[in-house]
Amino acid sequence: MPTLLPELVPDILLCLPVTSLMRFRCLSKSHCAEIDSPDFAKDHLNRSIQSKTGQKLIINSTGSIYPTDFYYAEFDGNLEDTYLINNPLKSSRRRTSVCGSCNGLFLLGIFVKDQNMDFALWNPFTKKYKKLPPCLVQTNPGYKGFMCFGLGYVSATNDYKIVMISKVRKSNDDDDVCFQVWVFSLNSNSWRRIQDVEDELSCCDGLYANGALYWDNVDKCVGFDVTNEVFFDLALLSDCGPTAIYHDFLVVFGGHLYSPVIPNDYEPNYIEFYLRVSDNGGEVADGSWRKEFTFEEERNIIFDSPLPLAYSKEGDSILFNRGNVVYWYNFENKKRTKVEIHGIPDVPTYNFYVCWESLVSPGNDSAFDGRAEEVIIEDSE
């Protein structure tokens, strides 16, 4: 009976989904070591991105009474069947928030008391999570709460970093505050305080793309270089020349930063999407905006803008969500195809996230979330 050449095993394993790989860890010590290695996790993720396989739609219920549930649907399928996945911070009294995501890792947060939060890094596909050590800013007597967060990746050191910006009172005067910036490194498993930011940022989660985190502030966009740990201002499209703009903001999908722009018409029914590109191979922060595509709608979209989630495998359609509705938009025929998602509860609001299924570890001392298998939720009809 012919035997499999040992040198072919890694290439075969790279083609398998995470669920299968987690089961194959028990075949031998060598298989387990291979699958658990950071280099294999990086290669597996890169192959998934290049082959456009293993992409998932994560759904969490944000408008329901506690607890918070998470589900996922598969792009390789029809996106209609959902799978319930365990929430490692699930509480009957507090809601779990998604504070950032990157390469299949999610930063979860849950308020505990006095504006303090507990955090965990979570991989919903390996079912592993790591509760983060508390940040010292939470023990400061002048601490007034978190403002914004972000999760990013440093490829050179294969490190994941969490950025947290907090408001801290410097004196007895409530208006005398500073905005402290703390960075958590997964490699060092510790928090560090870096240079404060001068301006107050809007309370939102950072968008990660091209090695940087972005926060869409009231009148400007602030970026953070995850590798060098420095902030920079990023000009919005309305700052770069065009004047016929009602408003513009930032979104990330397909791994790139976009600015959707609503023209300053009386009843605008289309959005133009501009891609941020680097100039002459430089940094995206020093680049420019390039118009990529236009989304057309039949009605006014100022107060209910559709948000792009992902490109189709063929590249001819984009998945959008608008409120609780998810649909494909085809560029050629400009038709919409609604995705009938089954098995999720009827709540006022959902959040949708697109990620790649990955083996990325949330840390050496991570724990198993306790659920052995996903539960498939089928249509009741």
Side-chain angles (χ1 to χ4, degrees):
M1 182 176 178
T3 58
L4 185 65
L5 295 176
E7 57 266 27
L8 296 179
V9 172
D11 291 334
I12 295 174
L13 293 177
L14 285 175
C15 300
L16 299 178
V18 169
T19 303
S20 299
L21 290 170
M22 294 302 290
R23 292 171 180 163
F24 291 166
R25 292 173 68 252
C26 65
L27 291 177
S28 67
K29 290 184 179 180
S30 61
H31 280 79
C32 184
E34 178 75 23
I35 294 170
D36 287 349
S37 70
D39 288 340
F40 182 84
K42 183 190 295 187
D43 292 341
H44 185 268
L45 176 63
N46 289 336
R47 186 192 179 281
S48 296
I49 296 173
Q50 293 169 4
S51 62
K52 300 179 181 179
T53 57
Q55 196 169 31
K56 311 293 185 184
L57 178 67
I58 303 291
I59 309 164
N60 80 304
S61 52
T62 61
S64 61
I65 303 300
Y66 324 119
T68 306
D69 287 321
F70 288 87
Y71 306 82
Y72 78 82
E74 302 196 28
F75 279 80
D76 295 337
N78 54 15
L79 282 179
E80 295 183 353
D81 296 326
T82 56
Y83 299 79
L84 177 64
I85 43 180
N86 202 32
N87 173 4
L89 297 185
K90 192 170 185 176
S91 169
S92 60
R93 294 181 297 171
R94 298 180 180 91
R95 180 175 295 117
T96 306
S97 300
V98 176
C99 303
S101 64
C102 178
N103 292 344
L105 280 185
F106 284 78
L107 174 62
L108 304 182
I110 186 169
F111 280 101
V112 285
K113 63 177 181 178
D114 300 330
Q115 296 299 312
N116 288 334
M117 292 186 76
D118 285 342
F119 294 99
L121 275 175
W122 174 51
N123 185 323
F125 308 109
T126 63
K127 305 181 183 67
K128 291 183 179 180
Y129 73 98
K130 172 188 176 68
K131 288 189 176 180
L132 304 187
C135 182
L136 290 178
V137 70
Q138 299 186 66
T139 64
N140 190 311
Y143 170 71
K144 299 185 67 175
F146 298 114
M147 293 173 52
C148 45
F149 315 90
L151 172 62
Y153 176 62
V154 182
S155 59
T157 56
N158 198 27
D159 191 15
Y160 287 84
K161 292 184 179 181
I162 297 167
V163 180
M164 179 178 66
I165 303 175
S166 307
K167 182 185 292 188
V168 178
R169 188 177 63 248
K170 296 190 291 184
S171 66
N172 292 329
D173 183 358
D174 284 343
D175 294 328
D176 184 20
V177 298
C178 65
F179 306 107
Q180 293 186 8
V181 182
W182 291 77
V183 176
F184 176 85
S185 164
L186 188 58
N187 283 355
S188 66
N189 192 38
S190 61
W191 291 93
R192 290 182 298 104
R193 184 182 174 185
I194 62 173
Q195 185 175 357
D196 295 355
V197 290
E198 297 180 359
D199 300 324
E200 182 172 359
L201 300 180
S202 57
C203 296
C204 61
D205 303 327
L207 303 173
Y208 176 75
N210 306 309
L213 286 161
Y214 300 91
W215 289 273
D216 188 7
N217 210 19
V218 176
D219 56 353
K220 65 178 180 180
C221 172
V222 176
F224 180 79
D225 185 319
V226 179
T227 300
N228 299 311
E229 299 184 354
V230 293
F231 285 90
F232 58 88
D233 291 337
L234 181 68
L236 293 170
L237 191 63
S238 52
D239 300 326
C240 301
T243 57
I245 292 176
Y246 175 78
H247 71 240
D248 54 354
F249 50 99
L250 298 177
V251 296
V252 168
F253 70 101
H256 300 287
L257 183 69
Y258 288 83
S259 176
V261 172
I262 300 178
N264 192 17
D265 296 339
Y266 179 68
E267 289 188 352
N269 64 344
Y270 66 96
I271 302 179
E272 297 174 338
F273 284 82
Y274 288 78
L275 171 68
R276 187 71 180 183
V277 295
S278 61
D279 292 337
N280 302 319
E283 298 294 329
V284 173
D286 302 322
S288 57
W289 295 102
R290 181 183 72 202
K291 183 177 176 181
E292 283 290 287
F293 61 90
T294 300
F295 173 90
E296 298 184 14
E297 185 57 283
E298 297 175 353
R299 57 191 174 96
N300 193 314
I301 56 177
I302 288 180
F303 302 108
D304 189 16
S305 302
L307 296 177
L309 296 172
Y311 281 101
S312 64
K313 252 187 178 182
E314 297 76 16
D316 59 350
S317 301
I318 287 183
L319 186 71
F320 282 89
N321 89 275
R322 190 172 191 172
N324 283 356
V325 178
V326 177
Y327 54 87
W328 289 103
Y329 178 79
N330 185 282
F331 292 112
E332 296 181 3
N333 56 30
K334 299 179 181 178
K335 289 185 177 180
R336 297 158 191 77
T337 304
K338 183 180 178 181
V339 178
E340 299 289 349
I341 299 178
H342 304 144
I344 54 178
D346 185 14
V347 298
T349 310
Y350 292 108
N351 278 339
F352 297 90
Y353 309 90
V354 172
C355 69
W356 297 98
E357 181 185 63
S358 80
L359 290 162
V360 175
S361 172
N364 292 330
D365 53 347
S366 57
F368 182 63
D369 69 15
R371 182 184 290 276
E373 295 291 342
E374 306 93 337
V375 178
I376 184 169
I377 310 297
E378 298 179 347
D379 188 11
S380 59
E381 298 181 358

